[in-house]
Amino acid sequence: MKKLERLCCVLMMFLTLIGCSSSTPQTHDVIFQDSIRIDLGDEDVNTAEYVKRIDSYPISGSSIDGNKIHVSNITMVCPSLKKGNLEKLGKQKLIYTIGDEKYTVEANVVDSVKPVIKLKSDELTFEVGKMKGINNYYSVSDNYDASKDIKVKVKNIDKLNKNKTGTYKLVIKAWDTSGNTASKKLTVIIKDTKKEQEEKQKEEERKKEEEKKKAEEEKQREAERQQQQSVQQSQATSTNDNVSSYPATSNSSSQTQQPSSSTPVTRDYLFSQGYDMSSAPSACQSALMASGRSGSCTPLQDSNGIYLGMRLVLN
């Protein structure tokens, strides 16, 4: 009898343990989206959208109220996932409930957000030899990875010489552990202010010298023009005076000479031939007298009114 009582007690304890460990049975047929992908960078995730059907009731937008789904007399509570609730990438279980019943589905949490590159400036200027390491002028961050886990490469960094003046074009590129990439362009200018100032001063001095030389040349040309005009005016005055001092050749003088049947003759006494304002009129007049013919001595001028010499015309 005592053995039977003991056996009953053990059986009751066993049944009690089984009852405590078993979960509430699922009485609804819940169909979820085939492949659930959650982006770590999403602001808000409405997990109700991953449920396609409950029993025979398809789920539409009108069935969803926040994180709950209402169809017929069924209310399903969906897991709430706000930004920051997702702690790690990869597979994550989402638990939905209808009353005491639990329905679990697996989602894949991914990261598609690019890392962030911050530059102190898009263009940096340094004196020769003053630039520090390139990593002092930018920082990287990511929505998931720590800064130390982000890979960084600086394109053209091998061409940058902090001891040589010039403009260097760099590209900073960063990768997070999910393979997302970001890039930023950076211009580095290396300059030598002291040398530039010296060269600028030399250039200014050179320009001043050129301007001074041009001014002196212009001044000299102006003096030469004035001198030439003065000489021409003096020559013109002397020619007029000399011509007026000679007796004019007239018909009366020619009448005292025997008329000639020779053809007219013209002869010039030019300053370019060595004559001057005095000798040209004298030579012309002497030739006229010696010819025994009638004629005249006339001053020659160019189109600008400058005297060129004298012209003898024998009739």
Side-chain angles (χ1 to χ4, degrees):
M1 187 69 176
K2 288 182 178 181
K3 289 182 179 181
L4 182 59
E5 289 177 353
R6 290 175 182 174
L7 182 60
C8 290
C9 289
V10 171
L11 181 60
M12 291 179 63
M13 291 176 65
F14 178 75
L15 293 174
T16 301
L17 290 172
I18 293 176
C20 292
S21 62
S22 63
S23 59
T24 303
Q26 297 177 351
T27 59
H28 297 279
D29 182 19
V30 180
I31 304 300
F32 293 96
Q33 182 177 309
D34 292 337
S35 178
I36 300 176
R37 181 180 182 274
I38 301 176
D39 199 310
L40 195 65
D42 289 346
E43 291 292 331
D44 290 306
V45 179
N46 189 349
T47 57
E49 296 177 355
Y50 303 143
V51 181
K52 296 177 65 177
R53 183 168 58 82
I54 300 176
D55 293 338
S56 61
Y57 304 105
I59 306 304
S60 61
S62 59
S63 307
I64 299 174
D65 179 18
N67 70 326
K68 294 182 179 180
I69 298 175
H70 302 284
V71 287
S72 184
N73 61 344
I74 303 171
T75 297
M76 172 178 277
V77 179
C78 307
S80 179
L81 296 179
K82 299 293 184 181
K83 185 178 181 181
N85 293 150
L86 302 173
E87 297 180 355
K88 61 181 181 178
L89 301 176
K91 302 298 182 180
Q92 184 165 326
K93 290 183 178 181
L94 302 179
I95 300 176
Y96 296 74
T97 60
I98 299 177
D100 293 333
E101 301 175 15
K102 293 182 179 181
Y103 299 83
T104 302
V105 66
E106 193 172 68
N108 187 28
V109 181
V110 298
D111 175 21
S112 62
V113 179
K114 298 179 180 180
V116 177
I117 303 172
K118 290 185 178 180
L119 303 178
K120 288 191 174 182
S121 176
D122 293 339
E123 183 176 292
L124 300 172
T125 302
F126 304 93
E127 287 294 318
V128 170
K130 298 297 183 180
M131 182 181 180
K132 298 179 181 178
I134 189 65
N135 58 343
N136 288 279
Y137 306 104
Y138 71 87
S139 62
V140 293
S141 61
D142 188 66
N143 64 319
Y144 183 76
D145 296 316
S147 297
K148 63 181 180 61
D149 296 324
I150 302 173
K151 295 181 179 180
V152 178
K153 182 179 180 181
V154 182
K155 185 180 179 181
N156 295 331
I157 190 63
D158 56 321
K159 298 178 182 178
L160 174 60
N161 186 346
K162 67 178 183 179
N163 297 312
K164 183 179 180 181
T165 60
T167 299
Y168 302 89
K169 301 291 186 178
L170 308 179
V171 179
I172 300 174
K173 190 173 183 180
W175 294 263
D176 64 14
T177 56
S178 296
N180 302 305
T181 63
S183 63
K184 279 283 185 75
K185 293 181 179 180
L186 173 63
T187 300
V188 177
I189 300 173
I190 306 297
K191 60 186 298 185
D192 189 338
T193 302
K194 183 178 180 180
K195 184 177 180 181
E196 289 176 0
Q197 290 176 345
E198 290 175 352
E199 291 178 351
K200 183 178 179 181
Q201 185 176 357
K202 288 180 180 179
E203 181 64 16
E204 290 176 351
E205 291 175 354
R206 185 187 65 79
K207 289 182 179 179
K208 288 181 180 178
E209 287 295 326
E210 287 183 354
E211 291 174 357
K212 182 179 179 181
K213 185 178 179 180
K214 288 180 180 179
E216 290 176 350
E217 291 175 351
E218 182 61 29
K219 185 177 180 181
Q220 183 177 356
R221 285 193 293 269
E222 180 62 26
E224 291 174 353
R225 283 196 296 268
Q226 291 179 358
Q227 183 179 3
Q228 184 178 6
Q229 289 176 358
S230 177
V231 171
Q232 291 173 350
Q233 290 174 357
S234 176
Q235 291 174 345
T237 302
S238 177
T239 300
N240 292 334
D241 291 344
N242 290 333
V243 171
S244 61
S245 66
Y246 292 115
T249 303
S250 62
N251 291 333
S252 60
S253 62
S254 62
Q255 289 174 356
T256 61
Q257 301 174 2
Q258 295 296 325
S260 175
S261 60
S262 302
T263 58
V265 176
T266 300
R267 181 178 178 183
D268 294 334
Y269 300 86
L270 304 176
F271 299 148
S272 61
Q273 296 172 342
Y275 294 96
D276 56 25
M277 298 299 292
S278 176
S279 61
S282 178
C284 182
Q285 193 67 27
S286 297
L288 175 61
M289 297 299 291
S291 68
R293 299 171 60 177
S294 65
S296 63
C297 286
T298 308
L300 290 176
Q301 293 176 286
D302 63 11
S303 60
N304 296 319
I306 297 176
Y307 287 94
L308 305 176
M310 298 294 291
R311 171 166 291 177
L312 170 61
V313 179
L314 297 177
N315 298 324

